[in-house]
Amino acid sequence: MSIKAPEDVLAGLQHWRNLPAAHQPEWPDAAELSAATTELREWPPLVFAGEADSLRGKLAAAQRGEAFLLQGGDCAETFAESTADRIRNKIRTILQMAAVLTYGGGLPVVKMGRMAGQYAKPRSNNLETRDGVTLPAYRGDAVNGHPFTEAARTPDPQRLLRAYHHSATTINLIRAFTQGGYADLRLVHDWNRGFMSNPAYARYEVLAGEIDRAMRFMNAAGVDFDALKTVDFYTSHEALLLEYESAMTRIDSRTGTPYNTSGHFLWIGERTRQADGAHVDLLSRVRNPIGVKLGPTTTGDDALALVDRLNPDGEPGRLTFITRMGAGRIRDVLPGLVERVTADGRPATWVCDPMHGNTITSPSGYKTRELATVLDEVHGFFEVHHALGTVPGGLHVELTGDDVTEVLGGSEEVDDAALARRYETLVDPRLNHQQSLEMAFDVAELLRDR
Ligand code: PEP
Ligand code: CO
């Protein structure tokens, strides 16, 4: 028997419409928008309540220091690049990183993509001007197109439906790859061996050698590798477009409780985390585990207001704070926040996003980041938690499985001139495959020494 939600719960799911909602597109035609979302409401869920519940349990383990979250993927997925090859490469990179982190930390790693739904972006300016022509800014493929023409840049609600379809095909491939043998630990280990054969990574040789020996030991001891062939892999995106997220919010027929079925984990961005705003309100009413990005200006009161709104009962695993302070600020700003939240007593899982506080413009004009600076923020994050006796619960990164040149540095030394070679992102610069693995080895050492 399916249980219906009470009327007040259903009405509550529309309350966000009365509240200020930052960073929403100006859809030109209300009737077209309504037609699209009406259709979307009829389409099947992309994820299921039980999956979101099991993820909540794993994030609770990360909060206690019994697991570690690895969340990674593009700044913005695009329809054009949601191809089998690109998706496979991203999954492969995350699995490779997870294997290294699992060894380093001696902990289960919770694997999560910024994938299968990351199609919308908040932008600092609503408009973009080029050569005297002003058009709406690109807000992600779920809203408008990137080409600088009036037709492409006009928000189109049909894109919400396309975003759903691309999310569905992506999650289908994720499920196939991670359940169908591609996640076999022996395979993942072989890929990592391939990475280590490059002399540029000699400084990680000791750790790589240890992992190699551990694999041989497991083999000799008769570990059932076939049982290690599948992994749980969760999806996540920024819950930015309220019309989309609202249409994907459904009532679980077993419990009568609302879940956002567009992804397992949804996060609220730094620019839309107002405690009395529409985003916080809508997500306060669903059962999924929820993240909130916290930038360097966040006050202790801000953080506690978010706990009040999103996790009033202090349920473990429900709320994750994803801090993105910048390498120069984290050691000063993070301790006060962690202390305030810890003193409150309601648990939050602390995760480090070392990307968004460290974006710079290179001399040749590219929006980029330095790998060394990114790693410095991760080190700062671990130092702060170590000093306070609290738990560094995970890592949130923008990465791709391809050999792009968007982030400076790394052992293969992408320099400013190299950025032009293969700079493909439409929004923020991503670690490439190599840089991602390098980060995993670096963080594995931090986890080991924790
Ligand atoms: C992002 O994660 O791509 C993003 C926009 O981050 P933030 O909300 O932290 O600025
Ligand atoms: Co980004």
Side-chain angles (χ1 to χ4, degrees):
M1 198 196 75
S2 70
I3 304 176
K4 292 206 168 54
E7 282 308 315
D8 58 329
V9 170
L10 294 176
L13 288 174
Q14 300 303 321
H15 184 60
W16 64 268
R17 295 183 187 277
N18 307 319
L19 303 174
H23 291 275
Q24 299 307 289
E26 287 178 24
W27 305 102
D29 185 327
E32 276 180 25
L33 175 64
S34 162
T37 55
T38 302
E39 196 167 356
L40 195 53
R41 275 175 205 282
E42 299 300 320
W43 290 356
L46 295 173
V47 303
F48 302 97
E51 297 172 331
D53 291 342
S54 80
L55 175 61
R56 195 176 337 93
K58 291 180 186 187
L59 293 172
Q63 181 263 320
R64 294 190 301 268
E66 295 162 14
F68 190 75
L69 171 69
L70 174 62
Q71 184 179 15
D74 295 303
C75 181
E77 292 178 286
T78 62
F79 297 163
E81 292 196 352
S82 57
T83 63
D85 282 355
R86 300 267 185 167
I87 294 166
R88 187 199 53 222
N89 290 350
K90 249 179 284 177
I91 295 172
R92 187 177 65 171
T93 303
I94 294 170
L95 293 175
Q96 285 184 263
M97 293 175 78
V100 175
L101 293 171
T102 304
Y103 181 82
L107 292 170
V109 170
V110 184
K111 300 157 203 72
M112 193 191 287
R114 278 176 70 112
M115 289 173 77
Q118 178 56 19
Y119 291 109
K121 302 305 300 172
R123 302 312 301 259
S124 343
N125 298 311
N126 286 334
L127 298 172
E128 182 181 345
T129 300
R130 288 190 203 171
D131 301 329
V133 179
T134 299
L135 292 173
Y138 172 64
R139 288 181 177 274
D141 276 8
V143 176
N144 56 3
H146 191 260
F148 196 71
T149 64
E150 182 152 4
R153 288 294 175 91
T154 304
D156 175 3
Q158 285 297 315
R159 284 180 167 273
L160 297 174
L161 303 182
R162 292 176 68 195
Y164 171 95
H165 279 302
H166 282 284
S167 301
T169 53
T170 301
I171 198 168
N172 181 52
L173 263 189
I174 290 175
R175 292 188 195 280
F177 280 130
T178 56
Q179 304 298 317
Y182 194 69
D184 189 323
L185 189 59
R186 287 164 295 192
L187 201 59
V188 175
H189 182 59
D190 274 348
W191 298 328
N192 278 350
R193 273 214 198 105
F195 165 76
M196 284 308 303
S197 63
N198 184 333
Y201 305 109
R203 64 166 284 238
Y204 303 114
E205 224 161 59
V206 176
L207 185 54
E210 282 176 28
I211 299 178
D212 218 40
R213 270 194 301 284
M215 289 291 290
R216 275 183 281 154
F217 168 76
M218 284 164 71
N219 202 14
V223 164
D224 180 6
F225 276 98
D226 283 342
L228 299 176
K229 268 186 167 169
T230 65
V231 299
D232 292 328
F233 195 107
Y234 297 96
T235 63
S236 69
H237 62 267
E238 177 174 351
L240 179 68
L241 297 177
L242 293 163
E243 291 288 358
Y244 182 84
E245 302 304 338
S246 169
M248 291 304 294
T249 299
R250 309 290 170 76
I251 306 303
D252 173 30
S253 59
R254 293 170 311 151
T255 58
T257 317
Y259 282 79
N260 182 322
T261 64
S262 70
H264 297 111
F265 177 91
L266 294 312
W267 79 85
I268 304 172
E270 160 74 357
R271 287 168 257 202
T272 51
R273 61 170 170 75
Q274 301 78 19
D276 51 2
H279 293 82
V280 168
D281 189 80
L282 180 60
L283 292 186
S284 74
R285 298 170 193 271
V286 298
R287 276 289 284 148
N288 308 59
I290 302 298
V292 187
K293 295 281 201 92
L294 301 180
T297 60
T298 314
T299 65
D301 287 348
D302 292 340
L304 285 190
L306 288 163
V307 174
D308 283 340
R309 295 288 283 118
L310 293 167
N311 196 18
D313 302 330
E315 185 184 13
R318 158 71 176 173
L319 180 60
T320 296
F321 281 135
I322 306 167
T323 64
R324 28 87 87 223
M325 302 297 176
R329 306 288 302 278
I330 187 160
R331 292 170 179 84
D332 299 330
V333 180
L334 186 59
L337 280 183
V338 176
E339 274 175 328
R340 274 295 289 284
V341 174
T342 305
D344 172 80
R346 287 171 289 186
T349 308
W350 293 96
V351 167
C352 176
D353 165 359
M355 315 299 294
H356 288 89
N358 298 309
T359 312
I360 53 169
T361 303
S362 81
S364 65
Y366 282 98
K367 187 177 184 185
T368 187
R369 295 159 173 153
E370 290 252 15
L371 182 61
T373 315
V374 166
L375 291 177
D376 184 34
E377 176 152 358
V378 184
H379 282 249
F381 176 79
F382 274 82
E383 283 161 33
V384 167
H385 283 289
H386 186 72
L388 295 174
T390 50
V391 177
L395 188 62
H396 176 117
V397 272
E398 287 185 341
L399 58 79
T400 163
D402 301 303
D403 296 327
V404 300
T405 53
E406 299 170 3
V407 168
L408 295 167
S411 296
E412 299 200 339
E413 300 211 15
V414 175
D415 58 15
D416 190 22
L419 289 179
R421 212 165 54 222
R422 199 171 160 197
Y423 190 97
E424 296 180 359
T425 184
L426 298 188
V427 190
D428 287 340
R430 303 159 296 181
L431 301 178
N432 63 25
H433 180 67
Q434 246 73 7
Q435 290 166 330
S436 301
L437 289 174
E438 218 174 320
M439 168 180 264
F441 275 99
D442 197 81
V443 178
E445 287 173 357
L446 289 173
L447 275 173
R448 193 175 50 182
D449 302 339
R450 191 170 60 150

